């Protein structure tokens, strides 16, 4: 009977025994790595019957015929009774119990356990070879080592040091022999750096030195930006260079520049050049750098040196007499500026603050005030304002004025009044005349920049006119003022002049001249006066200085 290819439990009955047949070599328990060859010995000298190998109780073949198992061979010297079982490349199915039987001798070897070790597949780190994460996020790494017998052990290594704290789990596969292992490593954000290499090493008895998989850590972050300005201190009107240096992972996509929040569209690179003015001092230049994660914006002001520029322009004021006058004058400048308040025509410094307060003003406080700002070694600026003081009229007049007998004569009354006078009246004897003509008398009123001139003209001067007292009175809502004027017969060569009181820088001068214009030029420099009425008697001049 042929047993070729037989793979079933074998029960052999024999009628021949040889009490002298014994095994001189028997298989022993062995451990072998899958894929390696292994030989299980079986020697029974002097025996000439059938020899049978069994695997887990299943017959593999008779004598040297194992044609049903191409990886199996019977090797050894037949004449010496050697029936060694050679497994050329061990596999998982070879993990079994083997025994050798001498059929006719009715003896068998002791069972030998062949343990087949299976190394794990190459470990795999999820996300390898590069794992990217955002700056500030923790790192979770997972490594698989599959199909191992026994289950693989996994360790994590960084810079030659084993990292502790990994979570380990294993799963038995369907064949009931092999296992897959999973290890998860957690690292906090403070414990990782970009560019670090972390290794997952899987090992078991089949590969005691282990198999490695390595991952590189790529920490991604928003652009890290530095904005430099050269030169750092510069005079207005000169060239400044801005440079925006950025480190970014992933790389920079584009740059965007702005000044005072307004996009500078003509610039797209990492450098911006400009001729600076004062606005660069208060309107920062910003560089916005973008990568795939987002953008970073950084801004800088330029330390521009510039002369005074008006920030809050002072306004001229009109206040009531006795009230406070408050002027506000704000300048900007760089370096820090000094503010000086003065009254025009006076060298007295009234204040070095933005605000000038004049307490309980009087009419003599009226005039021009100057707010001057000085930036050392850079420039000076000033702004003039007017203070008008509301109060009762003030009359300026020479109390004795002259006229020629028989000629037309005039007496003048200069009224300085804020608000303007509501009423001006001349009175003498029983007569009161505000305007127009009454008999020989005519009243005319002329307004000038400096005030109001009221003129009483008398035709055909008679002696009684030199004996009359003339009263000039002006009223406004704050009160009144009166001046008494007498008329004197003109008989000398001294001109009679009317000068406005209370003016420092500019005055009104009224004169009744008896001289020809050429004679007047010899008496006083004409450039100091402005002719008020041309070549008519009397002449009026406005004093310029």
């Amino acid at each position: 009977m042929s047993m070729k290819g037989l793979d079933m439990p074998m029960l052999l009955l024999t009628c021949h025994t040889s009490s002298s047949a014994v095994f001189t070599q028997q298989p022993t328990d062995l451990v072998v790595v899958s894929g390696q060859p292994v030989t299980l010995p079986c020697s029974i000298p002097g025996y000439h019957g059938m020899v049978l190998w069994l695997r887990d109780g299943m017959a593999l073949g008779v004598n040297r015929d194992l044609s049903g198992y191409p990886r199996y061979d019977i090797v050894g010297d037949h004449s010496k009774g050697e029936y060694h079982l050679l497994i050329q490349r061990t596999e998982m199915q070879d993990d079994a119990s083997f025994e050798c039987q001498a059929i006719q001798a009715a003896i068998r070897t002791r069972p030998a356990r062949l343990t087949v070790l299976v190394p794990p597949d190459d470990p795999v780190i999820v996300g390898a070879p590069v794992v990217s994460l955002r700056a500030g996020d923790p790192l979770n790494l997972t490594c698989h080592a599959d199909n191992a017998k026994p289950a693989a052990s996994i360790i994590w290594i960084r810079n030659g040091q084993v990292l502790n704290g990994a979570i380990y789990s294993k799963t038995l596969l369907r064949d009931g022999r092999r296992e897959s292992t999973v290890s998860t490593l957690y690292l906090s954000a403070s414990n990782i750096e970009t560019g670090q290499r972390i290794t997952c090493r899987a090992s078991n008895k089949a590969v005691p030195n282990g198999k490695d998989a390595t991952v590189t850590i790529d920490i991604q972050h928003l652009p890290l930006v530095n904005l430099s300005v050269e030169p750092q201190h510069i005079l207005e009107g000169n060239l400044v260079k801005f440079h925006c240096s950025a480190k970014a992972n992933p790389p920079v996509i584009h740059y965007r520049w702005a000044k005072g929040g307004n996009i500078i569209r003509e610039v797209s690179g990492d450098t911006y050049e400009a001729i600076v003015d004062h606005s660069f001092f208060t309107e920062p230049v910003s560089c916005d750098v973008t990568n795939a994660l987002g953008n970073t914006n950084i801004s800088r002001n330029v330390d521009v040196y510039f002369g005074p520029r008006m920030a809050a322009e002072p306004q001229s004021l009109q206040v009531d007499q006795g009230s406070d006058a408050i002027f506000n004058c704000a300048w900007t400048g760089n370096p820090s500026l000094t503010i000086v308040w003065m009254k025009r025509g006076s060298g007295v410094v009234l204040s070095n603050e933005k605000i000038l307060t004049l307490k309980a003003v009087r009419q003599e406080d009226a005039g021009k005030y100057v707010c001057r700002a000085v930036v050392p070694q850079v420039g000076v600026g000033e702004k003039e304002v007017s203070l008008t003081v509301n109060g009762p009229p003030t009359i300026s007049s020479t109390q004795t004025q002259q006229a020629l007998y028989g000629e037309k004569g005039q007496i003048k009354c200069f009224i300085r009044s804020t608000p303007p006078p509501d009423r001006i009246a001349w009175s003498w004897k029983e007569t009161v005349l505000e305007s127009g003509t009454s008999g020989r008398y005519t009243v005319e009123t002329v307004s000038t920049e400096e005030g109001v001139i009221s003129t009483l003209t008398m035709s055909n001067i008679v002696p009684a006119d030199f004996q009359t007292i003339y009263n000039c009175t002006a009223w406004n809502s704050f009160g009144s003022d009166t001046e008494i004027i007498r008329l004197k017969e003109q008989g000398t060569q001294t001109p009679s002049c009317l000068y406005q009181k209370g003016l420092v820088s500019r005055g009104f001068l009224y004169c009744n001249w008896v001289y020809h214009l050429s004679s007047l030029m010899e008496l006083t420099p004409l450039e100091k006066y402005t002719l008020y009425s041309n070549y008519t008697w009397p002449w009026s001049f406005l004093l310029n200085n």
Side-chain angles (χ1 to χ4, degrees):
M1 179 177 71
S2 174
M3 301 185 68
K4 182 178 180 181
L6 185 64
D7 190 9
M8 65 177 67
M10 181 62 68
L11 176 63
L12 297 180
L13 301 176
T14 180
C15 60
H16 172 76
T17 63
S18 175
S19 59
S20 61
V22 296
F23 290 105
T24 59
Q25 285 184 298
Q26 298 187 44
T28 60
D29 293 346
L30 292 175
V31 177
V32 64
V33 175
S34 176
Q36 295 179 346
V38 66
T39 300
L40 301 176
C42 180
S43 296
I44 181 168
Y47 174 73
H48 299 290
M50 289 189 298
V51 175
L52 182 67
W53 276 96
L54 291 88
R55 183 182 70 185
D56 285 340
M58 304 296 290
L60 300 176
V62 177
N63 292 338
R64 297 181 181 276
D65 184 6
L66 302 179
S67 57
Y69 299 90
R71 294 183 296 108
Y72 290 5
D73 278 325
I74 301 297
V75 297
D77 190 343
H78 179 66
S79 64
K80 295 180 181 180
E82 296 176 348
Y83 292 88
H84 308 320
L85 176 62
L86 170 64
I87 305 175
Q88 296 177 357
R89 297 177 307 279
T90 54
E91 295 180 357
M92 195 65 238
Q93 62 186 1
D94 302 324
D95 188 273
S97 177
F98 290 85
E99 64 179 57
C100 179
Q101 290 185 356
I103 302 302
Q104 282 78 10
I107 58 175
R108 64 176 64 189
T109 63
R110 59 182 176 269
R113 183 67 190 179
L114 179 62
T115 300
V116 179
L117 303 180
V118 181
D121 296 343
D122 290 341
V124 175
I125 299 176
V126 177
V130 177
V131 172
S132 298
L133 69 158
R134 192 159 183 164
D137 290 346
L139 174 65
N140 284 287
L141 292 177
T142 298
C143 182
H144 297 266
D146 299 327
N147 302 313
K149 180 178 178 294
S153 296
I154 295 177
I155 61 173
W156 295 90
I157 302 170
R158 179 179 63 186
N159 298 329
Q161 301 293 321
V162 175
L163 299 172
N164 298 317
I167 298 173
Y168 177 90
S169 66
K170 59 183 180 179
T171 302
L172 184 64
L173 302 184
R174 290 183 178 180
D175 60 17
R177 299 172 184 268
R178 293 171 301 159
E179 294 178 281
S180 291
T181 304
V182 177
S183 179
T184 301
L185 177 68
Y186 173 87
L187 293 175
S188 65
S190 61
N191 196 23
I192 51 177
E193 295 178 4
T194 192
Q196 285 183 337
R197 291 170 59 83
I198 297 178
T199 298
C200 167
R201 179 169 294 168
S203 63
N204 66 1
K205 292 180 180 179
V207 278
N209 292 330
K211 293 182 174 182
D212 290 351
T214 301
V215 66
T216 299
I217 306 305
D218 176 40
I219 299 178
Q220 298 186 340
H221 55 82
L222 293 171
L224 304 175
V225 183
N226 178 59
L227 179 56
S228 62
V229 181
E230 290 296 335
Q232 296 183 1
H233 310 286
I234 191 168
L235 189 64
E236 184 176 29
N238 288 291
L239 180 68
V240 164
K241 181 178 181 180
F242 300 87
H243 180 65
C244 190
S245 59
K247 295 180 180 179
N249 183 28
V252 172
I253 297 174
H254 65 81
Y255 295 84
R256 185 177 68 177
W257 293 88
K259 174 179 171 287
N262 298 313
I263 303 301
I264 306 172
R265 302 191 183 280
E266 60 270 20
V267 182
S268 59
D270 62 357
T271 301
Y272 168 51
E273 294 183 352
I275 302 296
V276 296
D277 58 19
H278 70 280
S279 65
F280 283 78
F281 185 69
T282 54
E283 298 178 9
V285 170
S286 63
C287 173
D288 189 277
V289 185
T290 301
N291 69 358
L293 296 182
N295 65 296
T296 301
N297 188 289
I298 188 171
S299 61
R300 287 279 302 273
N301 289 87
V302 183
D303 191 17
V304 181
Y305 295 159
F306 61 95
R309 299 187 67 87
M310 183 66 69
E313 186 170 340
Q315 302 298 316
S316 294
L317 297 177
Q318 182 172 338
V319 300
D320 294 345
Q321 181 175 309
S323 300
D324 294 344
I326 300 175
F327 294 100
N328 187 2
C329 175
W331 297 85
T332 61
N334 189 42
S336 297
L337 51 77
T338 300
I339 292 179
V340 177
W341 277 100
M342 294 186 298
K343 187 175 183 181
R344 180 72 76 188
S346 170
V348 178
V349 175
L350 301 175
S351 175
N352 290 118
E353 304 297 330
K354 292 190 300 182
I355 296 177
L356 170 65
T357 301
L358 301 176
K359 296 285 189 179
V361 296
R362 298 173 298 175
Q363 287 186 314
E364 51 264 37
D365 293 322
K368 305 291 186 182
Y369 289 82
V370 177
C371 176
R372 178 175 292 121
V374 180
V375 177
Q377 300 181 354
V378 178
V380 177
E382 67 175 40
K383 180 65 177 180
E384 182 181 86
V385 291
S386 297
L387 174 61
T388 302
V389 179
N390 294 327
T394 300
I395 298 178
S396 301
S397 176
T398 301
Q399 294 182 345
T400 301
Q401 301 183 26
Q402 297 183 2
L404 290 173
Y405 174 77
E407 300 289 339
K408 181 170 69 173
Q410 289 183 335
I411 52 178
K412 291 185 177 289
C413 179
F414 178 79
I415 302 108
R416 189 166 180 265
S417 175
T418 304
D422 301 320
R423 179 186 174 200
I424 302 172
W426 289 90
S427 62
W428 65 98
K429 297 180 181 180
E430 301 299 327
T431 303
V432 176
L433 185 60
E434 295 185 14
S435 63
T437 301
S438 175
R440 294 187 302 115
Y441 301 94
T442 300
V443 173
E444 295 178 317
T445 301
V446 178
S447 296
T448 70
E449 291 183 359
E450 301 299 331
V452 177
I453 302 172
S454 182
T455 304
L456 175 61
T457 302
M458 294 163 279
S459 63
N460 190 21
I461 295 294
V462 298
D465 294 331
F466 299 118
Q467 305 301 319
T468 302
I469 297 175
Y470 300 93
N471 189 316
C472 175
T473 304
W475 295 265
N476 67 10
S477 58
F478 288 87
S480 63
D481 191 20
T482 297
E483 188 73 67
I484 295 175
I485 304 172
R486 293 179 181 274
L487 190 61
K488 179 181 178 181
E489 185 175 1
Q490 187 170 337
T492 65
Q493 296 181 349
T494 302
S496 173
C497 298
L498 171 67
Y499 181 70
Q500 179 188 353
K501 297 184 293 185
L503 293 180
V504 175
S505 62
R506 185 177 175 90
F508 182 86
L509 186 66
Y510 169 72
C511 298
N512 289 324
W513 301 97
V514 295
Y515 290 120
H516 189 271
L517 182 59
S518 61
S519 299
L520 175 63
M521 294 175 64
E522 294 175 0
L523 289 176
T524 181
L526 283 181
E527 62 270 14
K528 296 183 65 178
Y529 301 90
T530 300
L531 188 62
Y532 202 80
S533 58
N534 295 327
Y535 302 100
T536 60
W537 299 102
W539 289 340
S540 299
F541 288 82
L542 186 63
L543 181 63
N544 293 323
N545 292 295

